Every structure is written in structure tokens, then in C-alpha cells.
Amino acid sequence: GMPAAPPPVLAPRRQTRQIRVGSVGVGSESPISVQSMTTTPTTDINATLQQIAELTAAGCDIVRVACPSADDAEALPIIARKSQIPVIADIHFQPKYVFAAIEAGCAAVRVNPGNIRKFDDQVKEIAQAAKDHGTSIRIGVNAGSLDARLLKKHGKATPEALVESAVWEASLFEEHDFHDFKISVKHNDPVVMVRAYEMLAECGDWPLHLGVTEAGPAFQGTIKSATAFGALLSQGIGDTIRVSLSAPPVEEVKVGIQILQALNLRPRRLEIVSCPSCGRAQVDVYKLAEEVTAGLEGMTFPLRVAVMGCVVNGPGEAREADLGVASGNGKGQIFVKGEVIKTVPESEIVETLIEEAMKIAEEMGEA
Ligand code: SF4
């Protein structure tokens, strides 16, 4: 038969030049990648590699590690070599670590022009070293560390100021015929951030790394990131994303993946269609949805599971999903691929759904 049409997206990707971060392409020819950053001291190589392994398992595509000292720089070669995903070294203040990270075999280096004194004078050497090693660069402008000259000129970190800094640094790299870089212009205010990226997107064909910086604890940071990324991704802007949360980095990856999946920019895996519950509910929908989510977490194939509180929308949604339950009278009608296969007591709903999910996985050759 006909291959299934790809799911619809809100806008075509903005066309960009294409760069590589190690094995991962970044630009409009590649899927949008998800990044995070380790929180372990980089000098603790084992802990850092352990965290990278956890991030990789969660679906992270690219990982960034901080490099604030010579000891951190010394840890980079082994981390870069042993990591399952490309490693970006994050450098502020000290250009010498940019060279160390390039020599260490990092896939890319993030530089913050606002935090590297006399950065402009060093661009030529950085471009040459990066070219020699096939390393790409992120020009990472950040509201909290904007170039003093621009801060003075604009009064504060306005979208115009962030973009002016980024475009200036980009022009320096391009003057030295270096083009393998992406740009970020992060701000903690989603409105300023979105305006900055919209403006930047008009200024050149650079791939863009999206981020709301210092977005806050998990709940607030998730919403700030989702709204800001949603506004940009729905216009086709953004080639790689990092959700910043004051929470473990695996949480950042989960949120990033969910944002992309919600917009059909990454294949959906487990998707729970659960109702908010209401006065008609005949089971504890929250508990059921949580238990089903926990029981099926880590499934690597697409599976849509409906968890519905009563018969109003229950059978309809359950029928549309791969798997579902519509509850009533302390019982659950279990649906598989649109058919009711059995009715079980409430206490057996979760285990039955998990069992049936495993059967589907087996049929798909995934188990
Ligand atoms: Fe309420 Fe039933 Fe709709 Fe759930 S499915 S929100 S319980 S009417």
C-alpha cells in the first residue's frame, strides 16, 4: 500500500546552511536535535560519563559540558572519546580553553563573545583551529553577559542588542571564511527571546540554537520554554533546542522531546490521551493516567494510549487509540485497535493495559 503521509507540521523549516556537530547534523536538512548540559564537575570524568549515558538513554542528541578550568580542559579528551553522543565544550572567559577543547576532539565549542575579552582579536586563530579539526562553533549570546559596549548602547539586553552582538560575531567568523557555526540569542523573557530569534532569522541563513536562559524551576521553565519554542518552531525557526531547567538535565531532555513531539517535529512515541476528569468520572483518572504512564515509560515505538474517565468521550477516544480504557461502574472496557477485547475490574486496568502494550510490542517486533 501507500506509505503513510508524514504527520502535518505548522510551517516548513526556515532554510539554513547545514553544519555538523560530530555525527549530528544541525540545519534545515536535519531533524531538530535536543541538547542538554551536564551538571557534574567535568573533572569527575566517571560521573560526567554516567550522566551523559543517562541523557543519551533519555533521547538527548548532543550534550554540552562546562569547561571553567585547566583541570576541566584536561578531562575533555576522554569525555569526548567515550561519550555516545557529540560533546560540546562550553567556554567563557578563557580563549585558551577554546583551543584545548578543539584539540581534545570535542564536536563543537560554544563561545560567548560577551564573556571573552579581546574575543574579536582571537577569531582568526579560533576559526583556523576549528577548521583544522572539523569542529563547529556555537556563538552563544546571552542576555546576562552581553558585550559591555552593546549594553551601553542599547541600555539593556533588548532583542536588537542580542542580535547586533550575534551578527557582529558571525561577521568576524565569516571574514575568516569560517561558516560552520550556529547562533543562539538567549534571554530569560520568552517575549524578548522570541523577538530576538525572529530578527536574527531575517539576518542570515545560520542554523539557530533555541534556548530560554535561566527559565527557572521545572514547572515554570517548562512552560516558558514550551511557549517560546512553540512560537518560533511554529514559524519554522529553530534547528536545535535546549530547555534550561533548575532540575536534573534528564528532565530538560524529556521536556525538549515532548515539545518537538507535540509539534510533529519528532516522531511520537508513547502518547497518553487522558481526560482531565470531571464530575462524571467513575474512576480516579489522575492515578490511572500516572500509573499507565509509569508502566509504559521507555517504550520506544509509537503507541497512543487513551485513559478516559467515563463513557462520554471514553469509547470514542479509546477506539481511536492503539490501546485504551473507558471506565464505568468500577470497571474498565479495554480497547485494542478499536475493538473492545474485554472488561476488567478497576484494580486490573493498569496491568491489563501494560500486558496488551507488550503484546503489541511483540507483534511489531519491538520486544
Ligand atoms: Fe469527564 Fe468522562 Fe470527559 Fe473524563 S471522559 S472528562 S470523566 S466526561
Side-chain angles (χ1 to χ4, degrees):
M2 295 271 290
V9 292
L10 289 167
R13 288 277 289 284
R14 161 182 165 264
Q15 290 302 300
T16 75
R17 73 176 68 149
Q18 187 72 11
I19 70 164
R20 300 209 67 81
V21 175
S23 55
V24 176
V26 176
S28 50
E29 281 173 28
S30 302
I32 299 167
S33 47
V34 172
Q35 308 198 15
S36 185
M37 190 164 177
T38 52
T39 55
T40 50
T42 304
T43 48
D44 188 340
I45 293 174
N46 286 339
T48 301
L49 286 170
Q50 173 62 35
Q51 198 174 50
I52 292 175
E54 287 162 18
L55 291 168
T56 306
C60 187
D61 299 302
I62 297 170
V63 66
R64 189 151 48 103
V65 301
C67 182
S69 77
D71 290 342
D72 298 294
E74 267 177 36
L76 291 178
I78 186 156
I79 292 172
R81 195 168 64 245
K82 291 202 169 173
S83 170
Q84 303 91 326
I85 51 178
V87 172
I88 303 180
D90 190 69
I91 318 278
H92 296 264
F93 305 115
Q94 300 256 33
K96 65 183 178 197
Y97 300 143
V98 175
F99 298 103
I102 292 171
E103 300 277 332
C106 290
V109 179
R110 179 275 173 105
V111 295
N112 178 344
N115 265 350
I116 296 186
R117 272 169 25 123
K118 303 238 177 77
F119 181 81
D120 299 359
D121 305 336
Q122 312 245 8
V123 169
K124 185 179 179 189
E125 283 94 295
I126 293 173
Q128 191 57 53
K131 239 188 247 178
D132 292 346
H133 289 81
T135 315
S136 55
I137 300 279
R138 166 155 69 101
I139 298 173
V141 175
N142 197 305
S145 50
L146 190 64
D147 191 300
R149 182 178 58 88
L150 290 170
L151 203 53
K152 200 163 164 223
K153 176 176 166 190
H154 294 270
K156 60 179 180 175
T158 60
E160 290 77 8
L162 295 167
V163 170
E164 188 174 334
S165 174
V167 170
W168 166 250
E169 301 308 332
S171 74
L172 293 180
F173 277 100
E174 285 167 354
E175 268 170 34
H176 295 291
D177 199 28
F178 186 84
H179 305 275
D180 294 333
F181 60 87
K182 57 194 165 102
I183 305 183
S184 62
V185 280
K186 298 192 183 182
H187 196 288
N188 64 51
D189 182 330
V191 174
V192 177
M193 178 273 195
V194 169
R195 281 303 297 142
Y197 278 96
E198 285 173 344
M199 288 171 59
L200 185 60
E202 295 295 319
C203 296
D205 70 344
W206 312 292
L208 301 183
H209 164 121
L210 302 188
V212 176
T213 189
E214 290 103 35
F219 181 73
Q220 178 190 295
T222 295
I223 290 170
K224 276 193 176 185
S225 300
T227 49
F229 294 6
L232 291 164
L233 293 169
S234 66
Q235 305 176 60
I237 298 172
D239 303 290
T240 184
I241 64 171
R242 190 266 171 115
V243 173
S244 300
L245 301 178
S246 306
V250 164
E251 298 304 313
E252 299 184 343
V253 171
K254 287 187 188 168
V255 172
I257 289 174
Q258 287 278 330
I259 291 171
L260 295 181
Q261 288 182 342
L263 294 170
N264 280 340
L265 294 169
R266 190 167 171 133
R268 292 183 185 171
R269 299 203 286 190
L270 176 63
E271 186 181 1
I272 305 286
V273 179
S274 61
C275 80
S277 180
C278 74
R280 291 182 203 92
Q282 294 175 341
V283 291
D284 185 343
V285 177
Y286 304 168
K287 185 160 159 264
L288 204 54
E290 252 172 45
E291 286 175 358
V292 172
T293 306
L296 296 177
E297 212 187 4
M299 296 243 149
T300 55
F301 59 98
L303 187 72
R304 202 175 144 91
V305 183
V307 178
M308 304 292 291
C310 80
V311 294
V312 169
N313 295 320
E317 289 287 3
R319 217 170 274 131
E320 289 295 309
D322 298 305
L323 195 58
V325 58
S327 309
N329 279 332
K331 293 193 198 106
Q333 273 188 317
I334 306 293
F335 288 73
V336 176
K337 305 276 179 202
E339 305 289 334
V340 179
I341 57 149
K342 61 176 130 174
T343 300
V344 299
E346 189 173 340
S347 60
E348 290 170 25
I349 291 174
V350 174
E351 58 183 86
T352 309
L353 286 176
I354 293 170
E355 246 169 55
E356 294 302 324
M358 295 303 166
K359 280 189 205 158
I360 294 176
E362 252 167 57
E363 279 161 25
M364 293 175 69
E366 300 274 353

